[in-house]
Amino acid sequence: MKQWIALATLAAVSAGAQAQTYPGNKPVSIVVPFTAGGPTDRVARDLAEAMRKQIPGSNFVVENAAGAGGTIGATKVAKAAPDGHTVLLHHIGMAATPALYRKLGYKTLEDFEFLGMINDVPMTLIGKPQLPANTYRDFENYIRANAGKLNIAHAGLGSASHICGLLWQSNLQSKDAMTTIPFGGTAPAMTALIGGQVDVMCDQTTNTTSQIEGGRVKAFAVTTAKPLSTHPVLKYYPSLQEMGMKNFDLTIWHGLYAPKGTPAAITKTLNDALKKALKDPEFIKKNESLGALVVTDKRSDPAEHKKFVAAEMIKIKAAVDAAGKYAD
Ligand code: MLT
């Protein structure tokens, strides 16, 4: 019996020691469940830089683990060692995937420690440059006139781009759903759109702003309730609500997660660093330049983060159920 007590004490002492020296000089891998170069990757790289500033000597690195609408990367982190050296940066997909996948490698509310939320990112409805439409009205009429003949790109079932396309088509109620073309992320999807290989996409402003500004894609609307009237590039586009889609109001929230069982001292270190990063002027400026808003409310607290995601899961399940044929 004494041996067991000694062993348990040793384990507790070493976990405590590890927490005190965390993260030490071992990298902290921020897993992004989509391909490099996309909107989620953008948030992660900017956050990694801001987090490094908060913990001197730390080394936050981004690791892309794409596929299956972000579920491959999320599963990887759910099953990773709970030692604070693997965290997940993910978005609305954490709430959407349980409504869309019968078999999922993780339970969103049970298999993660919630480390706080990061930002809210609007989305833009965009089309390939050859699309014969310049206003949202022309665009919508063209979609209706070509029902069943056009395709829409997204980053896999349960991705933000998939959820946006599902909600938009569900509101459009066009005769036939568009053909969906999945990619490992919206970076490759954007390349296909610019090249005219796909017709339409709904993607986050962190990925679309520069392409719209450069005239490489056509933009038609934003997904926020109100237009982004203060943004130098995005202010020219109406909101879908203004275009008649009642209650359409979609922004993509991002949060940080660690595997369940990560020691409380480590999750506290990560949340403290995150909260300071959210106040970093450079991080705020980078987000705002791309239309994104850094979280300033209580969602940066782990408990509020978890409560918010739980509520979103209920909301998104109802929307997916209502979307019917547009949900794939
Ligand atoms: C998504 O559409 O869910 C992701 O934002 C795509 C990406 O980050 O590449």
Side-chain angles (χ1 to χ4, degrees):
M1 183 57 179
K2 281 206 183 79
Q3 272 162 328
W4 280 112
I5 293 168
L7 269 176
T9 313
L10 193 67
V13 166
S14 67
Q18 183 209 22
Q20 258 146 34
T21 59
Y22 174 80
N25 54 16
K26 193 175 163 197
V28 177
S29 182
I30 301 179
V31 174
V32 167
F34 297 101
T35 54
T40 313
D41 187 66
R42 173 74 279 137
V43 176
R45 291 181 194 280
D46 291 344
L47 184 71
E49 195 181 326
M51 294 286 272
R52 278 193 285 270
K53 285 191 219 170
Q54 312 315 325
I55 307 179
S58 63
N59 181 14
F60 286 83
V61 294
V62 173
E63 176 191 344
N64 300 90
T71 57
I72 289 175
T75 303
K76 174 187 172 85
V77 175
K79 299 188 179 334
D83 61 6
H85 289 280
T86 307
V87 297
L88 171 69
L89 189 145
H90 204 353
H91 57 34
I92 197 169
M94 285 296 265
T97 47
L100 287 156
Y101 289 78
R102 261 187 299 284
K103 274 173 68 67
L104 208 49
Y106 57 88
K107 290 188 175 66
T108 291
L109 298 177
E110 285 84 12
D111 293 338
F112 296 94
E113 304 294 349
F114 286 60
L115 300 176
M117 290 181 70
I118 303 164
N119 64 4
D120 295 295
V121 187
M123 299 190 89
T124 40
L125 210 44
I126 55 178
K128 65 185 179 184
Q130 304 88 340
L131 217 61
N134 290 311
T135 64
Y136 178 76
R137 280 283 165 254
D138 294 348
F139 172 64
E140 191 174 286
N141 294 336
Y142 179 74
I143 299 291
R144 289 187 192 287
N146 293 277
K149 292 186 216 147
L150 301 171
N151 58 49
I152 183 166
H154 60 57
L157 224 51
S159 64
S161 41
H162 170 246
I163 294 300
C164 181
L166 169 163
L167 293 175
W168 172 62
Q169 288 190 79
S170 177
N171 276 274
L172 199 62
Q173 283 301 316
S174 124
K175 204 162 46 63
D176 296 302
M178 300 174 82
T179 306
T180 55
I181 315 277
F183 291 80
T186 49
M190 181 64 83
T191 305
L193 189 76
I194 291 170
Q197 282 89 41
V198 291
D199 299 314
V200 173
M201 177 160 72
C202 183
D203 195 14
Q204 296 174 70
T205 55
T206 33
N207 197 31
T208 60
T209 302
S210 60
Q211 305 298 357
I212 294 166
E213 191 172 24
R216 289 179 287 276
V217 294
K218 287 192 171 182
F220 299 105
V222 295
T223 61
T224 38
K226 293 193 174 58
L228 302 171
S229 50
T230 57
H231 193 279
V233 174
L234 303 166
K235 64 184 178 185
Y236 298 106
Y237 307 100
S239 70
L240 287 171
Q241 247 187 62
E242 284 180 315
M243 292 293 104
M245 292 194 170
K246 268 195 350 298
N247 309 321
F248 204 108
D249 183 9
L250 178 65
T251 50
I252 304 306
W253 42 268
H254 294 76
L256 213 53
Y257 306 83
K260 187 76 181 170
T262 302
I266 290 181
T267 57
K268 182 176 183 323
T269 302
L270 287 166
N271 178 250
D272 289 347
L274 172 63
K275 282 181 173 165
K276 289 184 196 133
L278 297 179
K279 293 188 169 55
D280 174 21
E282 198 49 38
F283 184 64
I284 293 168
K285 197 162 125 250
K286 281 179 184 168
N287 273 269
E288 289 180 347
S289 70
L290 297 172
L293 284 178
V294 164
V295 161
T296 54
D297 57 37
K298 57 187 181 180
R299 290 175 299 155
S300 58
D301 287 331
E304 292 298 330
H305 174 188
K306 188 167 186 174
K307 236 187 312 183
F308 178 81
V309 173
E312 286 285 293
M313 286 171 74
I314 295 164
K315 218 169 92 180
I316 293 178
K317 172 133 184 30
V320 166
D321 293 347
K325 67 181 175 189
Y326 302 111
D328 78 352

